[in-house]
Amino acid sequence: MLSVAVCDDEVMECCNIAGKIKEILKEMKVPCMIRQFYSGRELLQSKESFDIIFLDILMCDLDGMRTAQMFREKAFDKILIFISSSRDYVWKAYDVEAFWYLVKPVDEKKLKQVLQRAVLKIEHRSQEFILVNRERQKTKLFLDDIYYFEIQGRRIEIHGTGDVVAYYEQIGVLEESLRGKGFFRCHKSYLINLKYVNAYNKQEVILDNGIRIVIAKRRYEEFCREALEYMRKNGGIL
């Protein structure tokens, strides 16, 4: 069952958005549980785990952006969708890995599009994996848990949310297996997960965990295209 939180300090607005979400998910035949919160602190104090969080930005006491920052400290992988009457915080939304940014009044057609994409992302999230041969056994590693691959000749190191995993593989085979799955070879020695790109310039990519990865000069323009296309498919502004 899909678990959804709606947080808005305007009670009527919160109820209205929650009602629309419930109707759309019912139409999509997606079983759901929807909880309403009327402050950021109330949401943060909840012991429940949510798949999708709809969050207003302009709230009294603790605003939505600060609420999102605090929420990300304990739940990085949840889908955050901002709903605001102002467009002023669009770029700040990327700092907390917002999935989408909806502007009030929210059009139901646009809300449905965002929910469809969010549900699809949840259904496929953490399902794709690679099998690596190491220590005479096969190990399954989920792609969502991998920040980047570091290539050292035939030896490949996988850097992710757990320990570094090293194994032997041809880089061409690895690249082919990851084609279309959100990874980009920004340098001959690095294959990065575009999901974790926080910032970049012509010299380097900065990942969410603070790691800096060099970008080859000849790969920069292609990287920009791939990164923007990835963001377009996985989040955006409506």
Side-chain angles (χ1 to χ4, degrees):
M1 178 176 287
L2 193 70
S3 182
V4 181
V6 181
C7 183
D8 194 316
D9 63 349
E10 295 184 17
V11 177
M12 291 303 296
E13 185 72 15
C14 190
C15 293
N16 181 45
I17 294 171
K20 288 181 179 179
I21 293 170
K22 185 175 183 179
E23 289 177 8
I24 292 170
L25 291 176
K26 183 178 180 180
E27 181 183 337
M28 291 169 58
K29 294 181 170 53
V30 176
C32 66
M33 182 277 291
I34 301 176
R35 284 285 314 275
Q36 297 176 41
F37 299 92
Y38 307 123
S39 73
R41 295 192 186 282
E42 187 182 353
L43 171 63
L44 292 169
Q45 289 170 359
S46 174
K47 301 298 183 183
E48 298 175 73
S49 177
F50 299 101
D51 300 300
I52 305 175
I53 298 90
F54 285 83
L55 189 59
D56 185 27
I57 292 179
L58 302 176
M59 295 191 293
C60 297
D61 188 21
L62 191 64
D63 66 43
M65 197 59 66
R66 180 59 184 146
T67 299
Q69 291 169 351
M70 296 171 70
F71 187 85
R72 275 288 182 244
E73 292 176 2
K74 63 177 182 178
F76 182 81
D77 62 335
K78 306 304 180 182
I79 291 180
L80 283 177
I81 299 173
F82 283 116
I83 300 181
S84 178
S85 57
S86 171
R87 292 179 179 270
D88 295 344
Y89 303 90
V90 169
W91 296 112
K92 288 185 177 181
Y94 286 107
D95 292 339
V96 290
E97 292 287 315
F99 179 74
W100 220 278
Y101 193 107
L102 292 166
V103 178
K104 295 179 181 180
V106 179
D107 179 80
E108 286 193 37
K109 184 178 180 180
K110 291 180 179 179
L111 179 59
K112 183 176 181 178
Q113 291 174 352
V114 173
L115 277 169
Q116 287 174 331
R117 292 194 181 197
V119 169
L120 188 63
K121 183 178 178 67
I122 290 169
E123 289 176 346
H124 290 284
R125 186 173 58 195
S126 299
Q127 292 183 0
E128 293 187 294
F129 59 88
I130 61 171
L131 286 173
V132 300
N133 293 305
R134 57 191 297 265
E135 298 176 357
R136 298 184 179 181
Q137 65 181 11
K138 290 185 179 295
T139 302
K140 180 168 70 174
L141 298 173
F142 290 101
L143 298 186
D144 261 9
D145 295 333
I146 298 172
Y147 289 113
Y148 66 95
F149 296 86
E150 185 173 0
I151 301 102
Q152 300 176 355
R154 286 284 313 274
R155 187 171 183 268
I156 295 174
E157 289 187 353
I158 302 176
H159 299 259
T161 56
D163 295 332
V164 175
V165 175
Y167 73 112
Y168 290 91
E169 181 62 275
Q170 295 180 10
I171 182 57
V173 173
L174 176 61
E175 277 193 281
E176 185 60 32
S177 68
L178 295 175
R179 194 175 302 281
K181 301 184 185 300
F183 285 80
F184 182 80
R185 194 175 181 186
C186 61
H187 184 274
K188 67 178 182 179
S189 299
Y190 296 100
L191 238 168
I192 62 172
N193 190 339
L194 294 173
K195 171 184 175 180
Y196 294 109
V197 172
N198 182 55
Y200 62 88
N201 54 47
K202 291 185 177 181
Q203 287 76 44
E204 62 184 5
V205 178
I206 304 171
L207 303 182
D208 287 331
N209 60 359
I211 296 295
R212 295 173 180 266
I213 306 291
V214 64
I215 299 180
K217 185 177 181 180
R218 66 185 179 86
R219 298 177 190 264
Y220 178 69
E221 290 187 5
E222 185 182 356
F223 167 77
C224 290
R225 290 194 296 270
E226 291 285 334
L228 290 173
E229 178 64 15
Y230 179 85
M231 287 189 284
R232 186 187 69 80
K233 289 182 178 178
N234 292 275
I237 305 164
L238 284 181

